[in-house]
Amino acid sequence: MYSDKVMEHFQNPRNVGEIEDADGVGTVGNPTCGDLMTIYIKVKDNIIEDIKFKTFGCGAAIATSSMVTEMAMGKTLDEAMEITRNDVAENLEGLPPVKMHCSNLAADALHAAIDNYREKKGEKVEGTHICSTCG
Amino acid sequence: MIYMDHSATSPVDPEVFKVMKPYFVDEFGNASTLYSLGRDARKAMENARGQVASLIGAKTEEIIFTGGGTESDNIAIKGTAYRLKDKGNHIITSAIEHPAVDETCKYLEKIGFEVTYLPVYEEGIVRVSDLEDAITDKTIMITIMHANNEIGTIQPIAEIGKIAREKGIYFHTDAVQTVGKIPVNVEELNVDMLSLSAHKVYGPKGIGALYIKKGIRLEPLIHGGGHEKGIRPGTENVSGIVGLGKACELAQKNLIENAKYITNLRDKLINGVLDSIEQSYLNGHRTKRLPNNVNFRFTGIEGESLVLHLDSKGIAASTGSACSSKKLEPSHVLTALGLEQVDAHGSLRLTLGKENTEEDIDHAIESIKEVVETLRKLSPLWCATPGAERGE
């Protein structure tokens, strides 16, 4: 049911771990629903120079987390904010329909991490991203 | 591949396949016809009926062939409800039934029946005192599974049956997971109806049987040419029936020996995993469970990921995790045990079979250990809950 690309990222996830002195941290999901992910970013000159993740969840949750870190690495914050759930799914050659909603939260976690960074810097955050944190 | 998902299905035993083969091309007769080709098919079918009856201690004429376990459950439950609807509208079942029973009961609720779902507590077993409290003068049926398909717990069917009989209430049990794995005797269990399936005991898919005690009357769900006493009409699946019969004969022959062998493997697997992986737990009762059922959970880990990684290590297993289901809710069985949802997402079911070996178990323990370690490195929950505050 998963594409080869999803399985490849699931088996060999990129950028796993925490960044101890992260500039921004974003957590979305809810373990009650079976998915929880945290993304850590290190920002320099408005560019994401390092990004790591930790995820509790199914194959899709882990693969989307891995993919979004690859997509965001090296991007400007504004560019990273443009990455959507659909972009992540497309880069993974698609997700099963049932997983599109529940486990495709990685883009949200990335946006939450960026908002967290901007808030810390005292910038105004629009808060337009859908933060799925329910717990 | 090491196959450890026998509660999902099992491979057809070559001996079973061998006796089925003639009934496709050469012995293709319709068992309801008068000429010898049909009569021979009828004979083979009746022989199989005897083999099924023998395994469960029933009389040959008390066995009806069906399309499988789900169909048997539907025929028994709806057939009773429709037949006895003027007598009462209350049905008692358990909170951990297979969907074939659970969804059937929910359907009956929609059309006006009332259903009590008995709790199972932490150990996954219904209490007879709860059952006694639930019975009213409107109770027409009790349907409680013999052993659970996810956590393998064995229910006190004989005791329940005794109460049902004293009160004159129809009693059905879904024995799909027990027939052929532990001794099943309809007289000792005091059941009026019992569902079984071929493909869980090295028989073919798409064939099962329903034991209906002499004197019990059901309303048929489908109508047709009067086959199987009018309870399950339709031209008989002779090859499947012959396969079911043979599978039952083989199961009966090797029952005690296989159960003993598989129980040893089960205990080796349980002990091996619980001893070597911290914060690993067994779901369901430690001993009152099927010889072949193991169901673990691991703090901080989600079940689908576990199953996918085990697959890449050559092990076929399953999970009650929501993420592997279409409904995206964790298993109703695990939540009925009182598990928190996050724990209910982390289950791993391994169901063993006679072809599994000690080496398979060693490989499974080692693989589970590795996979749990890999996934915990990824898990924000594992870091967040380093203490062992969540007890067994």
Side-chain angles (χ1 to χ4, degrees):
Chain A
M1 70 177 209
Y2 284 132
S3 69
D4 290 347
K5 192 90 179 174
V6 170
M7 285 309 292
E8 202 269 313
H9 270 264
F10 170 72
Q11 303 280 7
N12 310 294
R14 281 56 144 182
N15 307 309
V16 173
E18 293 169 29
I19 300 175
E20 288 205 0
D21 56 343
D23 297 317
V25 180
T27 295
V28 298
N30 183 337
T32 307
C33 336
D35 288 307
L36 183 78
M37 54 188 79
T38 301
I39 284 188
Y40 304 83
I41 53 170
K42 195 83 191 143
V43 181
K44 196 178 175 192
D45 300 333
N46 222 33
I47 286 173
I48 297 176
E49 70 162 10
D50 196 13
I51 179 165
K52 288 202 186 301
F53 81 92
K54 281 213 161 180
T55 293
F56 164 87
C58 63
I62 291 172
T64 53
S65 306
S66 168
M67 176 52 83
V68 90
T69 61
E70 256 196 354
M71 290 168 75
M73 185 83 82
K75 291 241 173 30
T76 66
L77 294 180
D78 284 342
E79 283 167 348
M81 283 304 277
E82 297 291 309
I83 297 171
T84 66
R85 290 181 177 202
N86 272 341
D87 296 338
V88 176
E90 269 173 34
N91 275 322
L92 284 168
E93 292 164 4
L95 285 173
V98 72
K99 303 283 187 183
M100 281 300 284
H101 179 68
C102 80
S103 306
N104 190 7
L105 304 174
D108 298 358
L110 171 66
H111 300 164
I114 294 170
D115 281 351
N116 175 252
Y117 165 76
R118 286 175 165 170
E119 272 165 2
K120 278 204 246 174
K121 282 193 61 185
E123 287 177 30
K124 210 174 158 215
V125 170
E126 287 177 26
T128 46
H129 75 272
I130 308 149
C131 180
S132 304
T133 308
C134 34
Chain B
M1 184 200 55
I2 299 175
Y3 186 75
M4 293 191 171
D5 202 16
H6 291 80
S7 285
T9 194
S10 57
V12 173
D13 190 299
E15 277 193 66
V16 170
F17 187 43
K18 194 174 146 200
V19 298
M20 289 175 68
K21 272 192 228 171
Y23 295 93
F24 289 97
V25 177
D26 297 326
E27 303 287 333
F28 63 88
N30 183 320
S32 299
T33 54
L34 295 174
Y35 40 83
S36 61
L37 193 65
R39 289 201 309 271
D40 289 348
R42 164 72 53 187
K43 267 186 221 156
M45 212 175 87
E46 294 313 317
N47 179 53
R49 203 185 301 277
Q51 290 167 316
V52 175
S54 170
L55 177 60
I56 61 169
K59 298 186 190 78
T60 303
E61 64 273 20
E62 292 174 320
I63 302 297
I64 296 287
F65 293 117
T66 70
T70 295
E71 198 179 292
S72 295
D73 288 339
N74 272 265
I75 292 171
I77 298 167
K78 287 186 211 155
T80 299
Y82 297 162
R83 181 89 189 182
L84 301 180
K85 64 180 188 303
D86 295 331
K87 213 180 141 213
N89 70 339
H90 182 228
I91 295 164
I92 300 172
T93 185
S94 85
I96 57 166
E97 295 296 313
H98 185 277
V101 170
D102 197 50
E103 292 296 326
T104 303
C105 287
K106 290 204 171 93
Y107 164 74
L108 289 173
E109 281 185 289
K110 271 193 219 158
I111 60 166
F113 289 87
E114 282 177 21
V115 181
T116 301
Y117 298 85
L118 297 178
V120 296
Y121 306 95
E122 203 184 335
E123 68 273 22
I125 297 172
V126 297
R127 292 184 186 165
V128 174
S129 56
D130 286 339
L131 173 83
E132 286 176 310
D133 292 344
I135 293 173
T136 72
D137 55 0
K138 295 278 184 212
T139 308
I140 50 172
M141 177 177 219
I142 299 167
T143 173
I144 292 178
M145 67 199 332
H146 193 187
N148 182 264
N149 49 304
E150 286 185 40
I151 53 172
T153 49
I154 297 169
Q155 307 298 325
I157 295 303
E159 279 179 80
I160 294 167
K162 195 163 163 269
I163 293 163
R165 201 148 285 175
E166 280 164 14
K167 305 263 185 189
I169 299 167
Y170 277 24
F171 180 36
H172 164 256
T173 189
D174 176 340
V176 165
Q177 294 294 345
T178 51
V179 167
K181 298 199 183 83
I182 58 173
V184 172
N185 183 295
V186 292
E187 294 298 329
E188 287 168 16
L189 291 175
N190 303 315
V191 292
D192 297 316
M193 286 163 275
L194 179 146
S195 303
L196 63 92
S197 167
H199 76 105
K200 310 287 191 190
V201 284
Y202 303 96
K205 293 165 184 66
I207 186 79
L210 178 63
Y211 157 78
I212 307 175
K213 190 180 172 63
K214 203 175 171 216
I216 297 288
R217 302 233 172 279
L218 301 177
E219 197 64 29
L221 305 187
I222 47 174
H223 300 87
H227 312 75
E228 297 300 293
K229 298 184 182 167
I231 292 293
R232 208 284 192 177
T235 300
E236 297 89 347
N237 171 5
V238 178
S239 62
I241 289 169
V242 167
L244 167 64
K246 188 67 181 178
C248 287
E249 184 201 299
L250 294 176
Q252 188 170 12
K253 203 167 87 184
N254 305 317
L255 186 69
I256 302 300
E257 190 186 314
N258 282 344
K260 208 176 143 197
Y261 172 71
I262 295 169
T263 301
N264 278 336
L265 295 183
R266 177 197 76 183
D267 292 343
K268 182 180 161 87
L269 179 56
I270 292 174
N271 294 333
V273 166
L274 296 185
D275 288 349
S276 65
I277 303 176
E278 61 173 317
Q279 290 190 59
S280 58
Y281 307 98
L282 183 71
N283 293 318
H285 196 279
R286 177 64 185 80
T287 53
K288 287 179 192 167
R289 69 192 302 136
L290 289 168
N292 74 330
N293 176 288
V294 178
N295 191 311
F296 295 118
R297 66 179 191 279
F298 306 94
T299 303
I301 291 186
E302 194 278 327
E304 190 203 88
S305 297
L306 204 47
V307 166
L308 289 172
H309 271 302
L310 284 177
D311 177 43
S312 66
K313 290 186 181 291
I315 295 171
S318 71
T319 173
S321 165
C323 292
S324 66
S325 78
K326 293 192 177 82
K327 286 193 288 185
L328 297 174
E329 285 165 11
S331 142
H332 70 293
V333 176
L334 299 172
T335 47
L337 297 180
L339 288 187
E340 298 207 11
Q341 296 230 345
V342 59
D343 289 328
H345 280 290
S347 78
L348 172 69
R349 182 186 75 171
L350 301 133
T351 44
L352 311 176
K354 61 185 181 185
E355 72 278 13
N356 288 134
T357 63
E358 298 251 346
E359 289 73 40
D360 291 348
I361 301 296
D362 290 334
H363 180 66
I365 294 168
E366 213 37 56
S367 302
I368 293 167
K369 230 167 95 178
E370 285 169 24
V371 170
V372 166
E373 207 168 297
T374 303
L375 287 171
R376 277 180 174 167
K377 277 188 196 145
L378 281 177
S379 173
L381 294 177
W382 179 239
C383 294
T385 56
E389 63 219 24
R390 260 181 298 209
E392 173 75 338

